[in-house]
Amino acid sequence: MENQILDSLFRDIAEGNVVLFLGAGSSVTDSKIYLSKQLLDYYRDLKNIDYEPSENDIVDFVNKVFSLPEYDRNDFDLNVARWLKKNVKAEGFHKFAIGLPWLSIITTNIDLVLENAIEEENYEEKYEILRNYTEFQKALNNGDKCKIIKLHGCISDLGRYPLLFSSADFERNNKFYNKLFSQIKGWSDKIKILFVGYSFNDRFGSLFLNLFMKEMGNRQFYMLSPNLDESRFNMKYLAAKNITPIKSKFSDLLSTYEKWVEENA
């Protein structure tokens, strides 16, 4: 069954019929794990903040900590940007991924992994990066470059592309979400969506996933996860949301795809 799922997905990728959705887990490797926990531990230690949210809930942390006058949200964003620039780099599998014929890449990541991979592989002419609602609106249906859409800001310029972490941040971004959902609803049913690096067990990820599923409930999705909960209940839950789960790391899936291309050339 899994081989049939992968064969179908890989054919769709090769034909340019897959939109790649990237979450924070897409940057994780065996030796480099930079998720909400690592970011929170860094900033809590840096500022000696004794509040530790349950399950490393970064949304809860930002909501509560920066409601207090002694803490500065701008300082948080600045230090997050510095930390990500220092620690999160494009890996070999990212560079391979941006060479594939995606219909589009949409990400809630705020790091520069994609930008670095594009620069290192000289793919500047292939991609157009849209980092806020205004840029997205202007680029709709314009040009033939593959569009990378960054939904939650970007550390390349905190002034132009503010970072989204709090509940209020997400609410202010509804216009961007709604415009994106409107575009996706107009796509052919042949267009597939592959989620990588998201989890319903993570508050940050689940907020976005649940919003997306609510708006796009009838479309079929693939969800890649190396830590897939394969319990009967969870598999039924995912099926009810039209999600086809694949238990794999992003890097391993790309290696399997590369072999599939060689075998089906």
Side-chain angles (χ1 to χ4, degrees), residues 24-30 32-35 93-94 249-251:
S26 64
S27 299
V28 169
T29 68
D30 290 337
K32 298 178 181 178
I33 302 175
Y34 300 117
L35 298 172
F93 65 91
H94 296 119
K249 293 186 291 187
F250 191 30
S251 56

Side-chain angles (χ1 to χ4, degrees), residues 10-55:
F10 290 165
R11 288 187 187 281
D12 284 328
I13 292 174
E15 293 170 4
N17 289 326
V18 175
V19 175
L20 180 63
F21 260 84
L22 293 178
S26 64
S27 299
V28 169
T29 68
D30 290 337
S31 60
K32 298 178 181 178
I33 302 175
Y34 300 117
L35 298 172
S36 294
K37 180 185 185 316
Q38 288 72 32
L39 196 156
L40 286 177
D41 287 347
Y42 160 73
Y43 194 75
R44 287 175 61 247
D45 291 344
L46 181 68
K47 299 298 179 178
N48 195 28
I49 299 172
D50 60 3
Y51 176 61
E52 184 172 358
S54 63
E55 299 181 352

Side-chain angles (χ1 to χ4, degrees), residues 227-241:
N227 303 308
L228 177 67
D229 176 1
E230 296 181 284
S231 67
R232 185 168 174 267
F233 176 84
N234 190 58
M235 299 302 281
K236 287 176 63 177
Y237 175 75
L238 294 177
K241 289 183 172 288

Side-chain angles (χ1 to χ4, degrees), residues 110-259:
I110 59 176
D111 58 47
L112 300 177
V113 165
L114 294 176
E115 288 90 334
N116 292 341
I118 289 169
E119 181 179 2
E120 291 177 30
E121 295 299 302
N122 298 312
Y123 277 127
E124 288 90 347
E125 294 302 313
K126 177 179 178 179
Y127 288 101
E128 180 179 10
I129 304 177
L130 313 172
R131 299 179 176 91
N132 60 22
Y133 174 79
T134 300
E135 293 180 356
F136 178 69
Q137 178 81 347
K138 288 180 179 178
L140 275 179
N141 304 316
N142 290 331
D144 56 2
K145 290 185 178 182
C146 180
K147 292 176 174 57
I148 295 177
I149 302 162
K150 303 189 80 166
L151 283 171
H152 288 174
C154 182
I155 62 174
S156 63
D157 189 328
L158 299 182
R160 293 177 65 189
Y161 312 119
L163 309 184
L164 274 63
F165 285 111
S166 73
S167 299
D169 293 339
F170 298 134
E171 289 174 9
R172 285 193 296 270
N173 208 42
N174 278 335
K175 182 169 67 172
F176 200 172
Y177 296 144
N178 291 336
K179 193 69 176 180
L180 176 64
F181 294 150
S182 176
Q183 184 185 40
I184 294 174
K185 286 177 180 177
W187 290 346
S188 163
D189 290 339
K190 293 197 309 184
I191 304 303
K192 305 299 193 305
I193 295 176
L194 171 62
F195 283 104
V196 177
Y198 292 96
S199 171
F200 282 106
N201 296 324
D202 171 70
R203 172 113 187 273
F204 189 79
S206 65
L207 280 171
F208 180 73
L209 286 173
N210 283 318
L211 174 64
F212 196 93
M213 299 303 165
K214 178 183 176 182
E215 295 290 335
M216 303 284 131
N218 294 324
R219 187 175 289 274
Q220 188 70 35
F221 309 96
Y222 295 95
M223 179 175 287
L224 190 72
S225 173
N227 303 308
L228 177 67
D229 176 1
E230 296 181 284
S231 67
R232 185 168 174 267
F233 176 84
N234 190 58
M235 299 302 281
K236 287 176 63 177
Y237 175 75
L238 294 177
K241 289 183 172 288
N242 294 325
I243 295 172
T244 300
I246 300 172
K247 188 172 185 177
S248 174
K249 293 186 291 187
F250 191 30
S251 56
D252 290 343
L253 181 81
L254 293 171
S255 294
T256 305
Y257 174 79
E258 186 175 20
K259 294 175 184 175

